[in-house]
Amino acid sequence: MVGLPARGKTYISKKLTRYLNWIGVPTKVFNVGEYRREAVKHYSSYDFFRPDNEEAMKVRRQCALAALRDVKLYLTEEAGQIAVFDATNTTRERRGMILNFAKENGFKVFFIESVCNDPTVVASNVMEVKLSSPDYRDCNSTDAMEDFMKRINCYQASYQPLDPDDYDRELSLIKVIDVGRRFLVNRVQDHIQSRIVYYLMNIHVQPRTIYLCRHGECESNLKGKIGGDSGLSNRGKKFALALNKFVEEQNLKDLKVWTSQLKRTIQTAEALQLPYEQWKALNEIDAGVCEEMSYEEIREQHPEEFALRDQDKYYYRYPSGESYQDLVQRLEPVIMELERQENVLVICHQAVMRCLLAYFLDKSADEMPYLKCPLHTVLKLTPVAYGCRVESISLNIEAVNTHRERPEEAKKGPNPLMRRNSVTPLASPEPTKKPRINSFEEHVAVSSALPGCVPQEVPTQLPGQNMNNSQKPL
């Protein structure tokens, strides 16, 4: 990271780290300010950051070196892939030290500079985040604001912005200008850097609310069966009406409604009497040969598959179906669009909702498949400075409980015989996957009969169609 204080560097660091961990790239933030607070227990004033305070400069340099040592440890011995070095790094001398460290250890460097000259934005950031810092624990807000602004001035005097047109033209970097109003990108080297750039160009800091809920209770829920494409039960229809009333009470401006392409989410959205958009990416996890079976039936007919899934639910892939890991990759475009939007209601499914919730609440892959997402409950997510506030709102319509707790055996750790990322069943003799809909034509007919819906994706290849060599998937 590069930039003056109160420019959103830590916000970007934490948000980017959350995203990278969610897509499966082990990432950790190393905040040099925390090292400094550990070294200097009692912060006195902005004098510590004056460039002519030689003793303090030595301490700050030692803190940066200590953080870099931990970066090396994380990347070489702890299976980390990306380390976010969160500090001001406002001088060429400091950035040169980082580049030399990376060269010595064979690491790539990508600089993210946050530039903001709007005094209103800076003041807002100071008030919202910096005044609650441990540095100002025993200080009133007026004195804290005055001291922090003087701290910024200490950095301003020696600030050397990244210069991609001349001095820094060989560096890989992105400059985020005025909280995303403009971007300048230079020498992107690989797909990870490309994904980072794309992510940073989609996030914003405008106030908004995201609502997540599952469809109303459906007939398959009543029968204890997973997957399928059944319609709502009577209680599910009551939930849809209650959801309509709830949305009206929220009085949200320009609320967008998203559903999957499965019948139960579409029927739930129909009750809202609002335009909605269908996303194929929001369809429930594909259970493959286990579609429309109960867990008891899976245990009886495919006992080994049942046991394998309990051992590692995130990585386990249903034969001819999907894993939670697959689902996260499928949902990445949804996350990107959620970051771009303002107020959105997503009506989805249990596994899908768990994946989305894990992103916003920074939950690990191990926790994700066991997050509780009950039927007939709305989760209200409000992004805050360094995270997301969640409020669970039950709409008081009874429904079956579809949550399965983590088995005791799974808590003991993964089994070394775990089959990961394989589409070949170990225990199931059934090679064919049960379809969720009878035919593509039937699905199109149903969709076209529903008003207000906008299909997000339409398959270009019909089942059974022959493909020539240029059409074969890679």
Side-chain angles (χ1 to χ4, degrees):
M1 300 301 304
V2 176
L4 294 169
R7 264 58 179 184
K9 295 184 303 301
T10 298
Y11 169 81
I12 292 173
S13 297
K14 292 191 174 186
K15 198 171 180 73
L16 178 60
T17 298
R18 176 158 54 89
Y19 162 70
L20 291 170
N21 279 317
W22 184 76
I23 63 172
V25 182
T27 306
K28 184 176 179 180
V29 177
F30 295 83
N31 182 283
V32 177
E34 293 179 2
Y35 286 79
R36 187 260 304 166
R37 279 185 279 272
E38 184 65 28
V40 182
K41 301 294 185 182
H42 303 289
Y43 172 78
S44 55
S45 75
Y46 73 95
D47 285 333
F48 183 84
F49 295 95
R50 287 173 54 178
D52 58 354
N53 187 335
E54 294 183 6
E55 184 177 348
M57 289 290 284
K58 290 179 182 178
V59 172
R60 291 163 59 192
R61 181 179 174 83
Q62 289 304 313
C63 290
L65 290 172
L68 288 175
R69 284 194 293 271
D70 287 347
V71 164
K72 179 180 178 180
L73 186 68
Y74 176 69
L75 295 178
T76 58
E77 299 183 25
E78 298 176 7
Q81 292 186 24
I82 296 180
V84 181
F85 191 68
D86 181 16
T88 54
N89 301 315
T90 48
T91 65
R92 289 172 180 167
E93 182 274 331
R94 175 58 59 86
R95 295 195 291 271
M97 183 181 81
I98 295 169
L99 289 167
N100 289 334
F101 163 81
K103 185 177 181 180
E104 290 169 3
N105 292 282
F107 302 147
K108 287 183 180 180
V109 179
F110 185 72
F111 288 101
I112 302 171
E113 181 176 27
S114 181
V115 179
C116 182
N117 297 316
D118 185 335
T120 305
V121 174
V122 174
S124 175
N125 194 16
V126 173
M127 288 296 295
E128 184 178 357
V129 179
K130 301 303 180 182
L131 299 193
S132 58
S133 160
D135 290 344
Y136 300 110
R137 184 178 290 113
D138 301 318
C139 187
N140 67 62
S141 58
T142 303
D143 292 342
M145 173 68 87
E146 182 180 353
D147 182 85
F148 197 86
M149 298 309 287
K150 288 180 179 178
R151 184 195 297 194
I152 293 175
N153 290 338
C154 290
Y155 282 95
Q156 187 86 56
S158 58
Y159 180 27
Q160 296 171 299
L162 288 168
D163 180 13
D165 293 326
D166 188 10
Y167 188 86
D168 299 313
R169 67 186 326 164
E170 299 302 319
L171 300 184
S172 298
L173 63 91
I174 179 173
K175 291 172 77 88
V176 182
I177 303 167
D178 290 337
V179 204
R181 184 176 61 86
R182 290 177 58 215
F183 300 90
L184 197 158
V185 181
N186 191 66
R187 294 182 67 85
V188 173
Q189 295 183 41
D190 54 42
H191 78 283
I192 288 292
Q193 292 182 6
S194 178
R195 291 175 86 164
I196 289 171
V197 167
Y198 182 57
Y199 180 72
L200 294 177
M201 292 179 73
N202 279 280
I203 62 176
H204 68 82
V205 294
Q206 299 303 316
R208 69 326 192 346
T209 305
I210 297 167
Y211 297 88
L212 302 178
C213 75
R214 293 171 63 186
H215 52 81
E217 180 188 74
C218 66
E219 296 297 336
S220 292
N221 294 145
L222 290 175
K223 298 173 184 176
K225 296 182 182 293
I226 63 174
D229 193 23
S230 64
L232 297 182
S233 67
N234 288 332
R235 293 191 300 198
K237 293 173 183 176
K238 289 181 181 178
F239 167 74
L241 296 174
L243 182 62
N244 177 46
K245 182 179 179 183
F246 171 80
V247 169
E248 289 177 349
E249 290 172 349
Q250 295 298 296
N251 194 28
L252 294 166
K253 181 182 178 182
D254 299 326
L255 175 68
K256 295 196 173 174
V257 180
W258 297 350
T259 74
S260 73
Q261 291 186 348
L262 298 179
K263 190 185 300 180
R264 50 196 184 272
T265 64
I266 294 171
Q267 289 179 344
T268 304
E270 280 292 307
L272 302 181
Q273 300 178 337
L274 291 171
Y276 59 90
E277 187 175 353
Q278 293 181 35
W279 287 69
K280 185 178 180 181
L282 287 171
N283 284 3
E284 180 58 305
I285 190 170
D286 190 336
V289 299
C290 298
E291 282 277 313
E292 299 187 76
M293 297 175 67
S294 68
Y295 285 115
E296 290 71 22
E297 290 170 335
I298 298 172
R299 191 201 300 265
E300 290 175 6
Q301 298 179 34
H302 311 301
E304 193 164 355
E305 295 299 326
F306 187 86
L308 286 170
R309 190 164 193 259
D310 278 351
Q311 286 170 15
D312 196 335
K313 195 173 177 180
Y314 179 79
Y315 287 105
Y316 171 82
R317 177 181 288 157
Y318 283 107
S320 301
E322 292 179 301
S323 66
Y324 270 87
Q325 185 185 41
D326 296 328
L327 192 53
V328 164
Q329 300 305 316
R330 166 152 60 93
L331 287 168
E332 187 176 1
V334 177
I335 288 296
M336 287 294 182
E337 194 60 24
L338 277 173
E339 288 291 359
R340 288 169 53 85
Q341 299 294 334
E342 295 185 7
N343 298 320
V344 182
L345 166 63
V346 183
I347 304 172
C348 53
H349 307 267
Q350 181 166 250
V352 171
M353 189 167 166
R354 283 170 173 162
C355 292
L356 297 178
L357 193 60
Y359 167 77
F360 286 107
L361 300 187
D362 198 17
K363 298 296 183 181
S364 68
D366 185 57
E367 296 172 290
M368 180 190 297
Y370 297 100
L371 294 176
K372 291 186 177 180
C373 299
L375 288 164
H376 301 176
T377 299
V378 178
L379 296 185
K380 180 179 180 180
L381 306 177
T382 307
V384 292
Y386 294 152
C388 196
R389 185 173 66 248
V390 60
E391 180 182 356
S392 179
I393 305 163
S394 171
L395 298 194
N396 298 317
I397 305 293
E398 285 190 19
V400 295
N401 179 12
T402 61
H403 183 79
R404 288 184 73 238
E405 295 289 348
R406 185 196 300 265
E408 287 299 320
E409 294 78 8
K411 297 177 182 177
K412 299 174 184 177
N415 188 301
L417 299 178
M418 177 65 195
R419 169 176 59 77
R420 294 186 177 186
N421 302 325
S422 168
V423 296
T424 305
L426 286 186
S428 169
E430 182 179 4
T432 56
K433 186 175 79 173
K434 296 179 180 178
R436 284 184 172 150
I437 53 178
N438 293 331
S439 70
F440 176 77
E441 289 78 11
E442 177 186 320
H443 180 63
V444 172
V446 170
S447 298
S448 61
L450 295 169
C453 59
V454 182
Q456 179 68 13
E457 301 167 80
V458 178
T460 57
Q461 183 74 29
L462 299 182
Q465 251 186 332
N466 291 326
M467 293 188 291
N468 58 34
N469 291 334
S470 64
Q471 294 173 313
K472 288 182 179 179
L474 299 176

